[in-house]
Amino acid sequence: MSKRIRGIIATFLVVAGVTTNIQGSKSNVVYANEKSKAKNVIMLIADGMSTEGITLARHTKGDSLAIDEISVGSVITSWANGPITDSAPGGTVYASGEKTNNKYIGTSVNDTPMASILEGAESVGKATGIVATAEITHATPGDFTAHTSNRKNYNQILQQQINQDMEVVLGGGFNKPSRFTSEVSIGEFGAYYEEQVNNIKEEGFDFITTKDELTSYDGDKLWGSFADADLKYDFDRQSDNDNVQPSLAEMTDKAIEVLNKDEDGFFLMVEGSKVDWAAHANNTVGIVSDILAFDEAVKTAVEFAKADGNTIVVVTTDHGNSGITIGSSYYNENIESYDKATYANTTDLLRNATITEERFNEIVSGKSDEEIKTLAKKYYSIDLNDEELAIVKGEQGEGRQVGIREVIARRVGIGYTTGGHTGEQIYLGVYAPSDLELLEGVVDNTEVNKYMQRVLFGEELLSSYTEEIYQDGEAALSKIEETKTSVDETIKHSPKLTIERLGNVIEVDLYTNNYRVNSEEKELNTVVPYINGKYFIPQELIDVVSELKENNNAEEVGGEN
């Protein structure tokens, strides 16, 4: 069934359940008429971006940010059972509208799949895509494209991403799903990588690996993998004059270009993934680097939306990280008091930084004292004193934060309370044409998804679509007479569900949409997740099994399987 036909059917289901105006909510937001819809929605998520990090990036830039123009409120973040969320449930709530357990990807607290807004957009005929600077199988892109109870099930996520009917996938690589580490042979990883690239190409994607290929691309189904794992921090990418890895803004621009070819519109999720990574490491320059890169992607999206006239842009993050503050006890050591902290002796210093702390630590490894001082001057315009040199070299004693990151934090006056996530309210920005609903105020993270549902296809779709495509397979098939099922979990990358009825054999490759009826290759419209020993199948497959006729050539069916 074509995407267009599926869109007509799904739209009918939504219209049948359309409600009248909704007045009020937990967040006291007043909603516009349900009939007001946008053609396109672009969601941008800066993973782990705290409000203080935004402030620091603005000071470093010395000018306003693109996100300032569209700032409309803030988001209260939490997971199902606590105030500090992991990225997996943090992204899942934006994707599905429901809070869930930590580490869960697109999966409910009851261990059942929940259709994402990306899958919902596909069902009504829209083009879809994801962009990230982490591995493409990381938590946030996974939340919109896959279903598993553990974010570390990278291969399960990848198989589902390949077999979702997306048009654009851009970002890092997929070495993690392979489970290949330094202890495993390069040759074995190479074989796995080649297998997955072939799978991607078989699904109709044009597979590219360089910035030049991205720039010149003019097709309509694109998978760009620009690194083995995550992409570089943007300051490091710029310092390297990297001509292989594109910026987040460049990937966003190309994704919009490709998706906008669909006359029915599109949904795009863009993640600035490594703001979170820098915050975990308390790397101030890394945080600034990738917030500024994310802001350029927001600028690209908003400029398109303004020109298009029928696009909504939603910008936020899934949680705060690190407890970063502009202000710390270092003031007392360096400048006596916070009221003596001028721009010149604090935040302005960050404008001289050209690489992240992570890159600097790699460069100075094994270097002499004089070489370290020279490199600090080159990359940060810092003349290290003896105490700071000792900090960079890690000679400050057990339990102390060491490295150039502490030198920078001391000089700028940056404080950190943790190397983990935080439960603070976080930024919310929305751009919407004047005739469409605008989400604003202090809202719960569930409301962000509900808003996107309303403006894209109506709030009735995802729950009904979930019921249609993710039914308990064992329970549903047990109701069909003379049906036997079994699951083979020994297959390396994809378990296989076998369904036998009336002499017919149906084999389903779990985590994909591929199946065979008596060895004849077929495709479902949706993937088949396998979560904690349970498989979930669409009504489409149930109908196929129900309609099977007696197979008089049963002995010949699947003879080599």
Side-chain angles (χ1 to χ4, degrees), residues 477-484 500-502 545:
L477 295 175
S478 68
K479 297 176 182 178
I480 304 174
E481 294 182 354
E482 301 184 64
T483 301
K484 296 180 181 180
E500 299 177 78
R501 182 169 188 259
L502 302 177
V545 176

Side-chain angles (χ1 to χ4, degrees), residues 271-285:
E271 185 194 30
S273 317
K274 293 185 66 172
V275 176
D276 184 64
W277 296 29
H280 275 299
N282 291 175
N283 284 349
T284 306
V285 177

Side-chain angles (χ1 to χ4, degrees), residues 360 363-379 382-386 388-390 392-393 395:
F360 184 83
I363 292 173
V364 301
S365 178
K367 296 291 193 297
S368 68
D369 289 0
E370 288 306 313
E371 287 173 319
I372 292 172
K373 288 182 177 181
T374 298
L375 291 167
K377 182 70 172 178
K378 175 181 179 180
Y379 292 115
I382 292 175
D383 291 311
L384 294 176
N385 59 38
D386 290 342
E388 289 173 331
L389 177 62
V392 172
K393 294 171 64 178
E395 297 173 353

Side-chain angles (χ1 to χ4, degrees), residues 226-237:
F226 304 106
D228 289 338
D230 54 293
L231 302 185
K232 299 174 183 177
Y233 286 107
D234 200 66
F235 277 11
D236 298 338
R237 182 190 64 81

Side-chain angles (χ1 to χ4, degrees), residues 255-287:
I256 292 171
E257 177 188 321
V258 174
L259 296 175
N260 195 42
K261 295 177 181 180
D262 193 310
E263 62 182 16
D264 297 314
F266 65 84
F267 173 83
L268 172 65
M269 191 288 296
V270 176
E271 185 194 30
S273 317
K274 293 185 66 172
V275 176
D276 184 64
W277 296 29
H280 275 299
N282 291 175
N283 284 349
T284 306
V285 177
I287 291 172

